[in-house]
Amino acid sequence: DKYKTWMPKFLMAKEDKDQRKSSDNVERNIFKVKKSNAEKSKKMEKEEKFFRETFMYDKEINVINTATAARSVSSKRRVDLPVTAGEQLDIIDVTEGNAVICRNSEGRYGYVLVEHLNFR
């Protein structure tokens, strides 16, 4: 520190300038993230409530497996989950037919046909 060379501020590296920023900016960014997480969790709770009412699902929601959508499929009914190719889905429950109950990354639930999924 004693022999540190002097450099004008305009020649300083960008990382050094970022270190000089006050901690207030950092705290503000943290609060923004928490706010969006709170909104996202509220939306997910709403989707879960809708799922339980629509599907009359009273069991605990556990992820059985994960799968990736092989192709994009639009939903024909409200209980079907629209998926896009490459989207990762959590398998929640298996039905008697060729469909499974899935949850996407946004927290929406619905039926997806097994033929549209790739299991790992």
Side-chain angles (χ1 to χ4, degrees):
D1 233 58
K2 186 177 179 182
Y3 299 103
K4 191 173 181 179
T5 58
W6 178 84
M7 290 182 70
K9 286 185 181 179
F10 62 89
L11 292 178
M12 288 176 62
K14 209 172 201 177
E15 298 86 34
D16 295 337
K17 287 181 182 179
D18 291 339
Q19 288 176 354
R20 291 185 294 128
K21 288 186 177 178
S22 68
S23 63
D24 295 338
N25 293 340
V26 175
E27 289 177 23
R28 281 190 214 127
N29 289 338
I30 291 171
F31 290 129
K32 286 181 184 176
V33 171
K34 287 183 181 178
K35 184 178 178 185
S36 67
N37 285 343
E39 289 173 3
K40 189 173 184 179
S41 65
K42 195 180 237 186
K43 183 180 177 187
M44 290 182 96
E45 285 176 15
K46 183 180 174 185
E47 288 289 342
E48 182 179 334
K49 182 181 177 187
F50 178 80
F51 163 70
R52 288 188 181 280
E53 291 172 357
T54 306
F55 289 77
M56 292 179 271
Y57 197 83
D58 57 353
K59 297 186 267 182
E60 186 178 342
I61 296 176
N62 291 325
V63 177
I64 299 170
N65 200 351
T66 57
T68 307
R71 63 186 136 221
S72 298
V73 181
S74 61
S75 63
K76 294 176 177 60
R77 306 175 294 168
R78 175 64 177 127
V79 293
D80 294 335
L81 182 66
V83 294
T84 56
E87 182 179 13
Q88 188 163 353
L89 303 168
D90 296 330
I91 309 299
I92 303 299
D93 204 356
V94 180
T95 60
E96 291 184 16
N98 61 346
V100 291
I101 298 174
C102 296
R103 176 178 62 198
N104 65 7
S105 60
E106 296 172 0
R108 291 192 60 200
Y109 295 84
Y111 290 115
V112 178
L113 295 175
V114 175
E115 59 203 36
H116 299 304
L117 301 175
N118 289 330
F119 294 92
R120 296 179 190 191

